[in-house]
Amino acid sequence: MSVPSDIEIAQAAKLRPITDVAKEIGLGPDDLDLYGKYKAKVSLELAERPAKGKLVLVTAINPTAAGEGKTTTSVGLAQAFRKLGKNAVLCIREPSLGPVFGVKGGAAGGGYSQVLPMDDINLHFTGDFHAISSAHALLAAMLDNHLQQGNALNIDPRRITWPRTIDMNDRALRKVVIGLGGPAEGVVREERFVIIPASEVMAILALATSFDDLEQRLGNIIVGSTYGADRKPIYARDLNAQGAMAMLLKDAIRPNLVQTLEGGPAFVHAGPFGNIAHGCNSILATRAGLAVGDIVVTEAGFGSDLGAEKFFDIKCRFGGLKPDAAVLVATIRALKMNGGAKKTELAKEDLDALKKGVVNLEHHIANVRQFGMELVVALNRFHTDTDAEIAMVTEAAKKAGARMALSEVFAKGGEGGIAVANEVLDILAKGGSKFAPIYDAKLPIKQKIDTIVKKVYGGDGAEYSAKAERAIAYLESIGLGETPVCMAKTQYSLSDDATKLGRPTGFKVTVNDVYPVAGAGFIVAQCGEIMTMPGLPKVPAAEKMRVLKDGSITGLF
Amino acid sequence: MSVPSDIEIAQAAKLRPITDVAKEIGLGPDDLDLYGKYKAKVSLELAERPAKGKLVLVTAINPTAAGEGKTTTSVGLAQAFRKLGKNAVLCIREPSLGPVFGVKGGAAGGGYSQVLPMDDINLHFTGDFHAISSAHALLAAMLDNHLQQGNALNIDPRRITWPRTIDMNDRALRKVVIGLGGPAEGVVREERFVIIPASEVMAILALATSFDDLEQRLGNIIVGSTYGADRKPIYARDLNAQGAMAMLLKDAIRPNLVQTLEGGPAFVHAGPFGNIAHGCNSILATRAGLAVGDIVVTEAGFGSDLGAEKFFDIKCRFGGLKPDAAVLVATIRALKMNGGAKKTELAKEDLDALKKGVVNLEHHIANVRQFGMELVVALNRFHTDTDAEIAMVTEAAKKAGARMALSEVFAKGGEGGIAVANEVLDILAKGGSKFAPIYDAKLPIKQKIDTIVKKVYGGDGAEYSAKAERAIAYLESIGLGETPVCMAKTQYSLSDDATKLGRPTGFKVTVNDVYPVAGAGFIVAQCGEIMTMPGLPKVPAAEKMRVLKDGSITGLF
């Protein structure tokens, strides 16, 4: 499988003018604002039109170092539908700029299943993340200015929870002290920076359904609490920040239209983290897709325990979305790693390891099915996979109640996704799924967490630190007991222990903190340490990047 | 003079599609990348075409709290030339986002002489400042990562001079400590944030003449120095950061095309500070303007002592530009303040105060003339100005060797600038100016500073703190003795004492520090404290801003 590098494929591609791509889904000049020749923002009104499309979620088994290719499969599947003559639209997240300079380089699919223009999408794109950064920074500046100007709201500086943000892997900003220098230079306090996908403004933008809804959610952000035993929450609206923040997001809120490598329409919009946030592209982009496409392919972060659960219980709930089918991406390499095989030995047939690891797939199938979803396992094929291995996975998938098809979209583009696409079309032809969320948001917080741990993770329930117990009582006391719960835990295991691969049983998940993300409309239950500001490696990928005389880029792989 | 608010005028304006504006100056679809319907970036190649236009600099007397209207006059003058049938192009700076939320609201001209779309230009525009922010942040992250990963370059963390940046008025970030939290979280050190117009990357972008030149300048940035007595400078190129930084600026480097309120072409590009940097729009935008326009109107920050001097000695020197005429903006109100009148009493005729203050105008006329420039004083007229006052200013201007004309562009748009425009046309018809910089860059640093203080400020020379003495010796030792000098001093006085209005004499300027801005290609001589991170006022303007249901903005005045 000799495939050129992602950027080589991307730069060799002949892009269609985005106006042509738009025309194909019925969008004219009035529906678009161009950002160069190959990117556009669509009108917000598009998201208010009635949905006509079927919604297909792409999710995955637990990720491993071997890689699964969820985004690549999503792009390839959208391309495959188009090859079959369907009016398919792709809806995925925007990548963050920071990680581009670290280890991994670009992130917009791979091989012959990418979204283009790959370099722009990975760099500033249409400026959405910068706008989110500005809106976030404005609230931070207004908050510290309030302290500086006399603190009329009686905010306890030790209890400020609103961080600062930057879209860069900048380890040295994880923990800082600000406001030094004397009375004219602010109030001294501890502060932390998070990378922009971890910003609550990102989650809000991804969940907002209109300008008004955006402003209201921004106003609901809790930035900290007052001095005193009652710890009254302080909202962004108490600082009158929500209007100006919404103003800064007036263009960022509009979905971005780009194209797949094969020239099909793709909405790439918003990119919240998949652990401390809900890990999905924006509701507005998905709605826009459903308004103009017959089939909308979308994805959610990490495995089905994190991404799909949040897609179903948070995004679909808030957005009134009814997904019609699901695709579960797996690789034999990753299943073997789940069964204990070493990363260096994945090229060898290993039916023992596969047998031990395939239980992870079985669990994810059961998980997706319990939401009422019909699904296809897309086995992302590598040339090292043997027939015996493929047969074993196929049998396991069928036994667990899923269809299965091979996917080769990385090497073959849409052509390589036709088998999966046909299975999805068959599900849709037979009436699709009977989706329902897994819990009632009105249940007490602990009961919701318990439901997720037992049903989605296959565990025996949750244990709570003293801090988490206090936090839950506090959140219920300030009226946040009836929101969905966003679980923040490791993506590598169904449990909260990254080393427990496969399908662990008999475990409890430890919730060490629970905190409000009240603007977005959920609370986060944190299980373990979650990194919200990455660092750079010893030799950052940035060192090889350059812009050439003609303005083209090299080194962004 | 009852003129509606700036944003009311801006929102009532009927904008031309930017493609139409572009066509008028000979630019077709291949020369442009659209950013929505009313903004575009032009091709870099434009700046390489031969110059055909005449270059007119707009400068001013020392600014006061009464305001002079330099940007407004620049816009109005470009509109006036267009009313006279001339192919005139405006080239001005981009405003910074941070101050928008503080006291002043928007900054893109005023009244009937604005650049549009005013709201976009004041907010994210085409993302240039965000790109600069990212490039700046990348270098900071790579620098601290170098310390974290073993500090092979032997950088002294106490001598790091590269700050962090954010485009927000955020007082609490002026002085911070970063890298707290233990060995995995960076190296603890003092840090400071500057607002983005104070970033060296901004100055570099404004002075770069090609992609290659950009990358080279970025590589030349000095970020600090090594441990040890020799204090070897550490450059951005030592961290291999310049290529990725240039990549992040690949679109930001291209000039932005927008329009004046009367539909004429305007390049609005880059916005370095006028004190610690050179305060002019980009060389590339000015060159692009000269390639497509017959007359290019541009401006420089603050009064002629700061902005015009740097325009002549830094921008024109680096860009190979030969300005043909100058316009010096003055108001009777400001001249009366320079003569000691109180801000509350400027509406009353006060010939005594005016007589005392008009010397400031006389000095600025002499200053501009000594660069070989022919000039027109544009007296920005207020309805409170009396005939006797106007007569006094006219006489003083003529005596000092300048033409004079009244300007009413705020209230009347281009029509109000025709008198000034006609004087400029007469200068051009008579052969224009004989421009030359005021000093030879090869002179020793102190001699250059001395020349500026004596000739440009009218002082008796400079005094140097011990720190400045050491810094000068160090800079000369590392090969930075032969760059232009960028003076950082108060804009309110010709001297370095903000309270000395009018035309002070017998003063010396105290240089308290001198530091390299080696990427931009100059050194800064700092006289007094210069604020590089503003704060928000007690009630920030942000509190009144909102976005309405239709996506339009309110509160951005």
Side-chain angles (χ1 to χ4, degrees):
Chain A
M1 216 169 53
S2 168
V3 176
S5 78
D6 290 356
I7 194 159
E8 281 169 336
I9 294 174
Q11 288 181 340
K14 174 103 185 93
L15 274 80
R16 305 172 67 192
I18 198 67
T19 44
D20 290 2
V21 176
K23 197 187 280 176
E24 216 176 274
I25 46 173
L27 301 180
D30 286 351
D31 301 309
L32 301 179
D33 274 322
L34 297 179
Y35 283 64
K37 293 166 185 70
Y38 307 110
K39 296 166 287 178
K41 280 199 168 276
V42 300
S43 149
L44 212 53
E45 173 272 325
L46 210 60
E48 290 162 13
R49 296 188 198 168
K52 68 169 185 171
K54 299 288 184 186
L55 184 56
V56 180
L57 173 72
V58 178
T59 182
I61 60 172
N62 288 97
T64 69
E68 291 63 50
K70 189 158 36 82
T71 303
T72 304
T73 303
S74 303
V75 180
L77 184 59
Q79 292 180 149
F81 282 125
R82 208 159 157 270
K83 279 220 182 284
L84 292 170
K86 302 296 174 187
N87 168 21
V89 174
L90 177 70
C91 288
I92 59 174
R93 286 175 290 171
E94 298 179 53
S96 169
L97 181 58
V100 165
F101 302 109
V103 179
K104 70 174 191 158
Y112 289 96
S113 292
Q114 299 185 45
V115 283
L116 303 179
M118 181 265 220
D119 51 357
D120 284 3
I121 293 172
N122 274 297
L123 298 179
H124 310 291
F125 200 20
T126 57
D128 294 345
F129 283 23
H130 291 311
I132 291 166
S133 194
S134 294
H136 187 122
L138 176 62
L139 179 54
M142 289 176 82
L143 176 57
D144 275 298
N145 187 56
H146 184 87
L147 298 182
Q148 173 73 8
Q149 304 286 354
N151 196 9
L153 290 168
N154 195 33
I155 301 169
D156 184 344
R158 304 163 307 172
R159 294 194 183 274
I160 287 173
T161 50
W162 190 247
R164 276 174 169 78
T165 189
I166 189 170
D167 198 6
M168 193 55 66
N169 285 16
D170 198 345
R171 175 194 295 109
L173 297 181
R174 282 181 193 152
K175 196 167 182 183
V176 305
V177 171
I178 63 170
L180 296 163
E185 325 288 338
V187 172
V188 181
R189 64 179 186 87
E190 279 190 34
E191 178 59 299
R192 64 197 170 96
F193 280 73
V194 299
I195 196 165
I196 193 76
S199 163
E200 182 170 351
V201 180
M202 179 68 81
I204 289 172
L205 188 91
L207 292 170
T209 52
S210 68
F211 282 127
D212 278 354
D213 182 51
L214 174 69
E215 186 179 318
Q216 191 160 346
R217 285 175 184 273
L218 292 167
N220 287 343
I221 291 171
I222 294 176
V223 298
S225 54
T226 58
Y227 281 108
D230 59 340
R231 288 177 48 214
K232 213 164 73 69
I234 301 291
Y235 298 91
R237 60 175 177 262
D238 296 329
L239 298 161
N240 297 319
Q242 73 277 15
M245 291 173 76
M247 181 186 74
L248 283 166
L249 298 170
K250 80 182 174 70
D251 296 315
I253 196 179
R254 294 160 60 201
N256 305 300
L257 182 65
V258 290
Q259 64 191 285
T260 66
L261 195 68
E262 297 179 3
F267 288 111
V268 179
H269 193 221
F273 263 179
N275 38 41
I276 61 154
H278 66 289
C280 301
N281 73 285
S282 75
I283 286 176
L284 287 167
T286 302
R287 282 195 187 165
L290 291 167
V292 297
D294 294 324
I295 299 179
V296 172
V297 178
T298 191
E299 64 156 344
F302 302 131
S304 88
D305 52 327
L306 280 172
E309 187 270 313
K310 293 171 186 185
F311 173 79
F312 293 138
D313 285 326
I314 297 178
K315 181 178 174 181
C316 290
R317 194 191 301 261
F318 284 151
L321 302 171
K322 292 228 172 289
D324 297 284
V327 171
L328 181 67
V329 181
T331 64
I332 284 172
R333 294 159 60 87
L335 290 173
K336 286 194 286 194
M337 275 193 83
N338 260 287
K342 286 183 190 153
K343 200 187 166 186
T344 48
E345 297 182 356
L346 297 176
K348 285 193 303 195
E349 183 177 273
D350 188 345
L351 293 170
D352 279 353
L354 184 59
K355 192 165 185 180
K356 280 184 209 140
V358 81
V359 294
N360 187 261
L361 174 66
E362 289 164 6
H363 181 87
H364 284 285
I365 292 171
N367 180 36
V368 173
R369 287 188 69 201
Q370 70 181 335
F371 286 88
M373 300 300 298
E374 296 290 320
L375 83 159
V376 185
V377 172
L379 187 66
N380 191 0
R381 192 176 183 175
F382 282 69
H383 70 288
T384 51
D385 300 346
T386 68
D387 289 347
E389 288 176 327
I390 293 174
M392 184 182 279
V393 175
T394 306
E395 202 197 318
K398 294 219 164 131
K399 230 181 202 166
R403 297 151 181 260
M404 205 192 85
L406 298 180
S407 172
E408 295 177 277
V409 296
F410 184 88
K412 299 184 179 169
E415 194 65 40
I418 283 179
V420 178
N422 276 324
E423 292 293 336
V424 173
L425 289 175
D426 197 53
I427 289 173
L428 298 178
K430 289 183 171 142
S433 306
K434 294 193 176 63
F435 165 72
I438 204 88
Y439 59 79
D440 180 354
K442 292 207 181 305
L443 290 174
I445 290 173
K446 283 192 179 178
Q447 239 173 290
K448 285 178 283 201
I449 294 174
D450 214 50
T451 303
I452 294 170
V453 173
K454 287 182 177 159
K455 290 198 180 174
V456 178
Y457 305 161
D460 293 341
E463 283 169 345
Y464 298 88
S465 72
K467 186 179 181 188
E469 293 276 5
R470 286 196 304 272
I472 289 171
Y474 176 69
L475 290 173
E476 291 184 332
S477 81
I478 62 168
L480 286 171
E482 302 190 353
T483 70
V485 176
C486 179
M487 299 294 287
K489 72 160 185 75
T490 176
Q491 65 267 32
Y492 297 111
S493 171
L494 289 164
S495 75
D496 60 348
D497 177 351
T499 64
K500 285 189 180 144
L501 305 183
R503 189 178 192 173
T505 52
F507 64 87
K508 287 201 169 193
V509 160
T510 304
V511 178
N512 56 312
D513 195 10
V514 184
Y515 60 85
V517 188
F522 54 73
I523 60 170
V524 169
Q526 190 171 289
C527 315
E529 284 301 305
I530 304 293
M531 166 73 65
T532 51
M533 172 52 82
L536 291 170
K538 182 135 190 169
V539 182
E543 294 195 20
K544 295 214 172 60
M545 295 174 185
R546 279 200 66 206
V547 57
L548 305 179
K549 265 185 215 298
D550 64 353
S552 71
I553 279 175
T554 172
L556 183 76
F557 46 89
Chain B
M1 217 174 47
S2 167
V3 175
S5 78
D6 289 356
I7 193 158
E8 281 169 338
I9 293 173
Q11 289 180 338
K14 173 104 185 91
L15 275 80
R16 304 172 69 192
I18 198 66
T19 46
D20 289 2
V21 176
K23 196 187 282 178
E24 215 175 276
I25 46 175
L27 302 180
D30 286 350
D31 301 310
L32 301 179
D33 274 323
L34 297 179
Y35 282 65
K37 294 166 184 69
Y38 308 109
K39 296 167 288 181
K41 279 201 169 275
V42 300
S43 150
L44 212 53
E45 172 272 328
L46 209 61
E48 290 163 14
R49 296 186 197 170
K52 67 168 187 173
K54 300 287 186 188
L55 184 56
V56 180
L57 173 72
V58 178
T59 182
I61 58 170
N62 288 98
T64 67
E68 291 63 51
K70 189 158 35 81
T71 303
T72 303
T73 303
S74 302
V75 180
L77 184 60
Q79 292 180 149
F81 283 126
R82 208 159 158 271
K83 280 220 183 287
L84 292 169
K86 302 295 174 187
N87 169 20
V89 173
L90 178 70
C91 289
I92 58 174
R93 285 177 291 170
E94 299 180 51
S96 168
L97 182 58
V100 165
F101 302 108
V103 179
K104 70 172 191 161
Y112 289 96
S113 294
Q114 300 185 44
V115 282
L116 303 179
M118 182 265 219
D119 49 358
D120 284 2
I121 293 171
N122 275 297
L123 299 180
H124 310 293
F125 200 19
T126 57
D128 294 346
F129 283 23
H130 291 310
I132 290 166
S133 193
S134 294
H136 186 121
L138 176 62
L139 179 54
M142 290 177 80
L143 176 57
D144 274 297
N145 188 56
H146 184 86
L147 299 182
Q148 172 73 9
Q149 305 284 355
N151 197 9
L153 290 169
N154 195 32
I155 301 168
D156 185 344
R158 303 162 309 172
R159 293 194 184 274
I160 288 173
T161 49
W162 189 247
R164 277 175 169 77
T165 188
I166 189 170
D167 197 6
M168 193 55 65
N169 285 13
D170 197 345
R171 176 195 295 109
L173 296 181
R174 280 180 193 153
K175 195 167 184 184
V176 306
V177 171
I178 63 170
L180 296 163
E185 325 287 339
V187 172
V188 180
R189 65 180 186 87
E190 278 190 34
E191 179 58 299
R192 65 197 170 95
F193 280 72
V194 299
I195 195 166
I196 194 74
S199 163
E200 181 170 351
V201 180
M202 178 69 81
I204 289 172
L205 188 91
L207 292 170
T209 53
S210 68
F211 282 127
D212 278 354
D213 184 52
L214 174 70
E215 186 179 318
Q216 191 160 346
R217 287 174 183 272
L218 292 167
N220 288 342
I221 291 171
I222 294 177
V223 299
S225 55
T226 58
Y227 281 107
D230 58 338
R231 286 177 51 214
K232 211 166 73 68
I234 301 291
Y235 298 90
R237 60 174 176 264
D238 297 329
L239 298 162
N240 296 320
Q242 74 278 14
M245 291 173 76
M247 182 185 73
L248 283 166
L249 298 170
K250 79 181 174 73
D251 296 314
I253 196 179
R254 296 159 61 200
N256 305 300
L257 181 65
V258 290
Q259 63 192 286
T260 65
L261 194 69
E262 296 178 4
F267 288 110
V268 179
H269 193 222
F273 263 178
N275 38 41
I276 61 155
H278 66 289
C280 300
N281 72 285
S282 75
I283 285 177
L284 288 166
T286 302
R287 282 195 187 165
L290 291 168
V292 297
D294 294 323
I295 300 179
V296 172
V297 178
T298 192
E299 65 157 342
F302 303 132
S304 89
D305 51 328
L306 280 172
E309 187 271 311
K310 295 172 187 185
F311 172 80
F312 294 138
D313 286 325
I314 298 177
K315 180 178 175 182
C316 290
R317 193 191 302 259
F318 284 151
L321 302 171
K322 292 229 172 287
D324 298 283
V327 171
L328 181 67
V329 181
T331 65
I332 284 173
R333 294 160 58 89
L335 290 173
K336 287 194 285 195
M337 276 194 83
N338 260 288
K342 286 188 189 145
K343 200 186 163 186
T344 48
E345 295 182 356
L346 298 176
K348 286 192 303 194
E349 183 175 272
D350 187 345
L351 293 171
D352 280 352
L354 184 58
K355 193 167 186 178
K356 281 185 209 141
V358 83
V359 293
N360 187 262
L361 174 66
E362 289 164 5
H363 180 87
H364 284 283
I365 291 171
N367 179 38
V368 173
R369 287 189 69 201
Q370 70 180 337
F371 285 88
M373 300 300 299
E374 296 289 322
L375 82 161
V376 185
V377 172
L379 187 67
N380 191 359
R381 191 177 184 175
F382 282 70
H383 69 287
T384 51
D385 300 345
T386 68
D387 289 346
E389 288 176 327
I390 293 173
M392 183 181 281
V393 175
T394 305
E395 202 196 320
K398 295 220 161 129
K399 233 184 201 164
R403 298 152 180 258
M404 204 192 87
L406 298 179
S407 172
E408 296 177 277
V409 296
F410 184 88
K412 296 182 181 172
E415 194 64 40
I418 283 179
V420 178
N422 276 326
E423 291 293 337
V424 173
L425 289 175
D426 197 52
I427 290 174
L428 298 178
K430 289 183 173 146
S433 306
K434 293 193 176 64
F435 165 71
I438 205 86
Y439 59 81
D440 180 353
K442 293 206 179 303
L443 290 174
I445 291 173
K446 283 190 178 178
Q447 241 174 285
K448 286 179 281 200
I449 293 173
D450 214 51
T451 305
I452 294 170
V453 173
K454 287 181 179 160
K455 291 199 180 173
V456 179
Y457 306 161
D460 293 341
E463 283 169 344
Y464 298 86
S465 71
K467 185 180 181 186
E469 294 277 4
R470 286 195 305 271
I472 289 170
Y474 177 69
L475 291 173
E476 292 184 332
S477 80
I478 62 168
L480 287 170
E482 300 192 353
T483 70
V485 176
C486 180
M487 300 293 287
K489 72 159 185 76
T490 176
Q491 66 266 33
Y492 297 111
S493 170
L494 289 165
S495 75
D496 60 348
D497 176 350
T499 64
K500 285 189 180 144
L501 303 185
R503 190 179 193 172
T505 52
F507 64 88
K508 288 203 167 190
V509 160
T510 304
V511 178
N512 55 312
D513 195 11
V514 184
Y515 61 86
V517 188
F522 52 73
I523 60 171
V524 170
Q526 191 171 290
C527 315
E529 285 301 305
I530 304 292
M531 166 72 66
T532 53
M533 173 51 82
L536 291 170
K538 182 135 190 166
V539 181
E543 293 194 20
K544 294 213 171 61
M545 296 173 185
R546 280 199 66 204
V547 56
L548 305 180
K549 264 185 216 297
D550 65 353
S552 71
I553 278 175
T554 172
L556 183 75
F557 44 91

